[in-house]
Amino acid sequence: MNTAILLLSLVLSAAALAAEPHFEVVADWPQLPVGHTLGLCAGVGVDSHNRVFVFHRSGRHWATPFPEEPIDKPTVSVFDGTTGKLFNSWGAGLFNMPHGLTVDHEDNLWLTDVGLHQVFKFTPEGRLLLTLGERGKPGNDHAHFNLPTDVAVQRDGSFYVSDGYKNTRVMKFIATGKFEFEWGAKGKGNGEFNLPHNICCDAAGLVYVAD
């Protein structure tokens, strides 16, 4: 092997190594105060201020049927993205079985609760802005959900809900929460689902559904 080929081989090998993904666990992140339990973390999102929001079940386990009483501990924990320090926590007594969390372009939080069959919009501080669905009442009309899983919000404030475990559909609402349209049914054909579990939109307005 001549010198030129050897040098080229070394350069290509170095480039290949540099292209390999690298990650490392950040030690002591997050910093949980004594007695603060996350348990199963159902959803996570980051806002424009690098605050990390974790929607968790605070030690509650998935059970069928779901427990009727709400979780009496905080279920939304807010951390500093850099240090992992706990900023705030809220949600005690509000949720039954936390599932999906989405942070929109205005830093509001959209939360789904499969036990309550509801979708919520909150400020980052925990002030309720919007509730969709009837508490604890599943259904398949335009005013009800049946175990809704996730929310995707567009720049104009309109949003999609993956209504997920039972209704196997995607519902579209305008920013105020008024129903606009839906699609989906149980099946394997075009536009049909088995379990639409997560949903998001891109800048072009296309909708991506994880089934």
Side-chain angles (χ1 to χ4, degrees):
M1 181 181 295
N2 61 40
T3 302
I5 295 177
L6 178 60
L7 287 174
L8 178 60
S9 177
L10 290 173
V11 169
L12 291 176
S13 297
L17 289 173
E20 290 186 6
H22 172 76
F23 67 89
E24 60 185 65
V25 176
V26 178
D28 300 320
W29 200 110
Q31 300 177 30
L32 294 177
V34 175
H36 190 92
T37 301
L38 296 181
L40 195 153
C41 299
V44 62
V46 183
D47 73 359
S48 62
H49 302 285
N50 199 33
R51 295 177 294 189
V52 180
F53 297 85
V54 180
F55 195 29
H56 57 90
R57 296 176 185 164
S58 199
R60 172 164 287 181
H61 299 284
W62 187 284
T64 304
F66 294 135
E68 293 185 2
E69 70 279 1
I71 300 171
D72 61 1
K73 298 177 182 178
T75 49
V76 178
S77 296
V78 189
F79 299 95
D80 178 88
T82 302
T83 67
K85 181 180 179 180
L86 182 69
F87 273 145
N88 190 16
S89 60
W90 49 269
L94 296 181
F95 303 103
N96 181 290
M97 192 61 69
H99 197 279
L101 179 150
T102 299
V103 179
D104 69 20
H105 59 284
E106 295 180 339
D107 289 341
N108 294 310
L109 270 66
W110 296 78
L111 306 174
T112 63
D113 190 311
V114 291
L116 297 178
H117 308 286
Q118 288 182 299
V119 174
F120 305 92
K121 178 184 180 182
F122 285 91
T123 67
E125 297 73 32
R127 180 168 62 88
L128 182 63
L129 300 175
L130 179 69
T131 301
L132 293 177
E134 185 177 358
R135 186 179 184 88
K137 301 293 184 181
N140 59 7
D141 58 23
H142 298 163
H144 292 82
F145 305 102
N146 199 335
L147 288 80
T149 53
D150 200 17
V151 179
V153 186
Q154 294 192 306
R155 296 293 300 182
D156 63 359
S158 63
F159 58 97
Y160 296 88
V161 176
S162 51
D163 182 31
Y165 283 90
K166 295 293 184 180
N167 287 335
T168 59
R169 64 181 175 179
V170 171
M171 305 175 72
K172 172 73 182 303
F173 299 85
I174 65 174
T176 60
K178 181 181 178 181
F179 174 81
E180 193 170 0
F181 61 84
E182 68 175 71
W183 80 90
K186 192 79 170 182
K188 298 181 179 180
N190 290 334
E192 296 178 336
F193 302 106
N194 180 56
L195 198 173
H197 199 265
N198 294 92
I199 190 167
C200 67
C201 301
D202 67 12
L206 295 176
V207 182
Y208 300 84
V209 183
D211 187 329

